[in-house]
Amino acid sequence: MKNIFAISFFSILFILSSFNYTGVKDVTIRKIVIDAGHGGKDPGTFGSYSKEKDIALSIALETGKIINKYMPDVEVIYTRQDDSFPTLFERSDLANKNDADLFISIHCNNAPWSNEVHGTETYVMGLKNFDRNFEVAKRENSVILLEENYEETYQGFDPNSPESYILFSLTQSVYQEQSILLATNVEDQFKNRVGRKSRGVKQSSLYLLWSSAMPSILVETGFLSNPKEEKELNDKLQQTYIASGIYRAFRDYKTEIESKN
């Protein structure tokens, strides 16, 4: 427990040190980190014939490609561009060290209790409905257990233990409002432009979002446990539509945030 409080304390100091004297980062958005979830020895969730890590990578690369084409003033940084295995710490650390303005992590979902569940979900860091979303938190955070020396890196944090999540309750993300704005844009695009069922914006205690000192979201693009949705998520045209939706959500977010300057 002491280790948990220690990592929380130093994380608070790190996040606060990333602010300027007004407490707000430069509102000009020039750098975005796109994270393809999982990778390498961590396949993520499975469908009947496909793996989350492969679909997430395809959509992530396509999203970056579209941003580069239509917003050349924005630098796109990838956490991975191949079947490699960056740790959760390395992903958020990359974003923090590059002083990124935004972090978007792309994933696929799974509902082992039903093959009929479908739709998109976009997560922001938060404890609202913790009990309901605990399974999502466990699944996304459990990759920690695949990492070498994870006990040392994460200071005793156990992704399967509800008690460990006390560290998330010690800080309230100063970026939550902006993260919710971006997440809402993404779900609106999916519902109204891409034609996908939106399950809405949700909160969960995800280490990846908590440890990123910037507005951050995690996009669940669909359920691989649903046969129809698995087929769609493996279709290159559908992947482009999804990536385009994320791009438009980011474009609108950037315009709104910068207009307030």
Side-chain angles (χ1 to χ4, degrees):
M1 187 62 71
K2 289 182 179 180
N3 285 336
I4 292 175
F5 281 101
I7 191 173
S8 299
F9 175 74
F10 286 114
S11 295
I12 293 170
L13 292 181
F14 173 78
I15 292 173
L16 291 177
S17 69
S18 69
F19 302 159
N20 61 25
Y21 289 111
T22 64
V24 180
K25 292 181 71 174
D26 187 348
V27 296
T28 302
I29 299 172
R30 291 288 179 263
K31 198 176 296 185
I32 180 174
V33 171
I34 299 179
D35 171 51
H38 307 279
K41 62 183 178 181
D42 172 26
T45 192
F46 290 89
S48 62
Y49 62 90
S50 58
K51 300 174 183 177
E52 177 182 6
K53 67 175 184 177
D54 299 324
I55 296 171
L57 180 60
S58 293
I59 295 175
L61 293 177
E62 184 64 22
T63 301
K65 178 182 176 182
I66 296 172
I67 292 174
N68 282 329
K69 179 177 181 180
Y70 293 104
M71 305 178 79
D73 59 320
V74 175
E75 179 183 355
V76 175
I77 300 171
Y78 300 99
T79 58
R80 68 180 181 98
Q81 298 185 65
D82 52 26
D83 191 25
S84 55
F85 177 66
T87 67
L88 291 188
F89 175 82
E90 289 170 339
R91 294 170 197 256
S92 58
D93 190 52
L94 174 70
N96 293 334
K97 286 183 175 179
N98 280 278
D99 196 27
D101 300 299
L102 206 60
F103 184 93
I104 298 178
S105 186
I106 297 174
H107 292 252
C108 300
N109 220 330
N110 182 272
W113 61 90
S114 173
N115 62 5
E116 296 183 358
V117 179
H118 66 288
T120 64
E121 299 174 341
T122 300
Y123 283 86
V124 300
M125 177 59 208
L127 292 173
K128 185 178 180 180
N129 298 321
F130 173 76
D131 291 339
R132 186 184 308 169
N133 296 325
F134 182 50
E135 292 303 316
V136 174
K138 283 200 299 183
R139 185 179 73 238
E140 298 299 351
N141 291 329
S142 65
V143 64
I144 289 172
L145 303 179
L146 297 178
E147 301 175 17
E148 295 182 5
N149 302 317
Y150 70 87
E151 298 95 337
E152 179 179 348
T153 302
Y154 298 96
Q155 296 292 301
F157 174 74
D158 179 0
N160 295 316
S161 170
E163 289 76 14
S164 284
Y165 288 84
I166 189 174
L167 69 89
F168 293 120
S169 68
L170 297 180
T171 60
Q172 287 295 322
S173 173
V174 295
Y175 299 114
Q176 188 177 56
E177 183 178 348
Q178 293 175 354
S179 298
I180 290 175
L181 172 61
L182 177 60
T184 300
N185 285 357
V186 169
E187 288 301 312
D188 285 348
Q189 286 290 332
F190 285 164
K191 178 181 179 180
N192 299 317
R193 295 291 300 276
V194 184
R196 305 192 68 81
K197 173 183 171 60
S198 170
R199 296 167 59 87
V201 176
K202 301 186 177 183
Q203 295 185 17
S204 192
S205 302
L206 303 173
Y207 179 89
L208 190 62
L209 303 184
W210 176 77
S211 56
S212 301
M214 66 213 63
S216 307
I217 64 172
L218 186 147
V219 183
E220 297 280 8
T221 56
F223 286 79
L224 291 182
S225 49
N226 180 288
K228 180 177 181 294
E229 204 150 59
E230 180 183 16
K231 181 178 180 181
E232 292 172 348
L233 289 171
N234 279 279
D235 182 86
K236 293 299 182 183
L237 182 58
Q238 290 296 322
Q239 290 178 359
T240 299
Y241 288 157
I242 292 170
S244 296
I246 297 173
Y247 154 72
R248 288 191 298 269
F250 166 60
R251 177 200 62 195
D252 295 346
Y253 168 88
K254 183 176 186 295
T255 298
E256 182 170 350
I257 292 296
E258 293 182 348
S259 69
K260 296 178 179 178
N261 188 7

